[in-house]
Amino acid sequence: MGADGTSRFDPAIGRRLRGLREARGLSLSELARRAGVGKATVSGLEHGTRNPTLETMYAIAGALSVPMSALTLDPGAPAGAASPVRGAAVVSTLLEVFREPGATYEMLRLRILAGVEQTSPAHPPGVTEHLSVIRGTVRTGPAAAPLTAAAGEHISWAADVPHVYAALGGEEAHAILLIRTPHDPPLR
């Protein structure tokens, strides 16, 4: 994380992104269309001239049908090698990646900033999120019907729809998020 609170750009994200896009036979334009982001954004990420936001990273990962860790980590690298990624309200730090034959699980530490709500794009079908609040109170879940949880409480939802994150009560909140991304066929 930079001193100004923005995400530090990891140039390897661009390399991974380009590799995943090319492996799927997608042009920059087609990936941008599927992700709902500008072609210049995808090109800038691939060339290392743009800092990724959490919202953009999830949109691109969803369009590629991969967990976000496929963009932030080389296969076999420890989770600690991934840089934190910041969205409008959430600073996300990857803690661990668990892979099983049918799914990838990403465990993240979230710092949810006070006074702003973040809407995250829909993940591919079958993705679920499981959030445990450590400190503060959080409104999260599907944008159309968010739920509230306080410290010590847990919320789960199908994340294949837009979903929100907001800290309530004027103070930032802290949580652990587990994202389950099914895959068939298994990821390479």
Side-chain angles (χ1 to χ4, degrees):
M1 191 68 58
D4 62 355
T6 60
S7 300
R8 284 188 328 240
F9 183 71
D10 174 0
I13 289 173
R15 174 182 48 78
R16 291 182 206 105
L17 170 56
R18 182 184 317 226
L20 289 165
R21 178 181 61 77
E22 289 176 349
R24 285 156 178 74
L26 297 175
S27 67
L28 281 170
S29 297
E30 180 60 16
L31 177 57
R33 185 191 66 73
R34 289 182 184 189
V37 299
K39 179 180 173 183
T41 297
V42 176
S43 178
L45 290 173
E46 284 191 2
H47 289 94
T49 59
R50 291 221 175 179
N51 285 333
T53 65
L54 193 57
E55 296 89 341
T56 299
M57 293 288 286
Y58 274 121
I60 290 171
L64 292 168
S65 296
V66 298
M68 189 168 71
S69 61
L71 296 172
T72 61
L73 278 181
D74 284 324
S83 297
V85 180
R86 180 173 179 168
V90 175
V91 179
S92 172
T93 303
L94 184 64
L95 299 175
E96 190 61 71
V97 178
F98 308 95
R99 290 183 177 87
E100 294 181 350
T104 297
Y105 299 83
E106 297 168 303
M107 182 180 290
L108 304 118
R109 179 178 57 239
L110 301 186
R111 196 174 111 226
I112 305 168
L113 307 175
V116 63
E117 181 174 277
Q118 176 174 317
T119 300
S120 291
H123 297 292
V127 174
T128 55
E129 295 197 9
H130 311 269
L131 184 119
S132 296
V133 180
I134 297 169
R135 186 173 88 194
T137 302
V138 175
R139 182 176 59 242
T140 191
L147 302 167
T148 301
E153 296 178 331
H154 173 86
I155 298 174
S156 294
W157 65 94
D160 55 1
V161 296
H163 43 286
V164 298
Y165 299 91
L168 303 179
E171 295 182 13
E172 75 178 27
H174 293 243
I176 299 295
L177 178 65
L178 183 68
I179 302 174
R180 180 188 181 277
T181 304
H183 44 80
D184 189 294
L187 296 175
R188 292 189 234 170

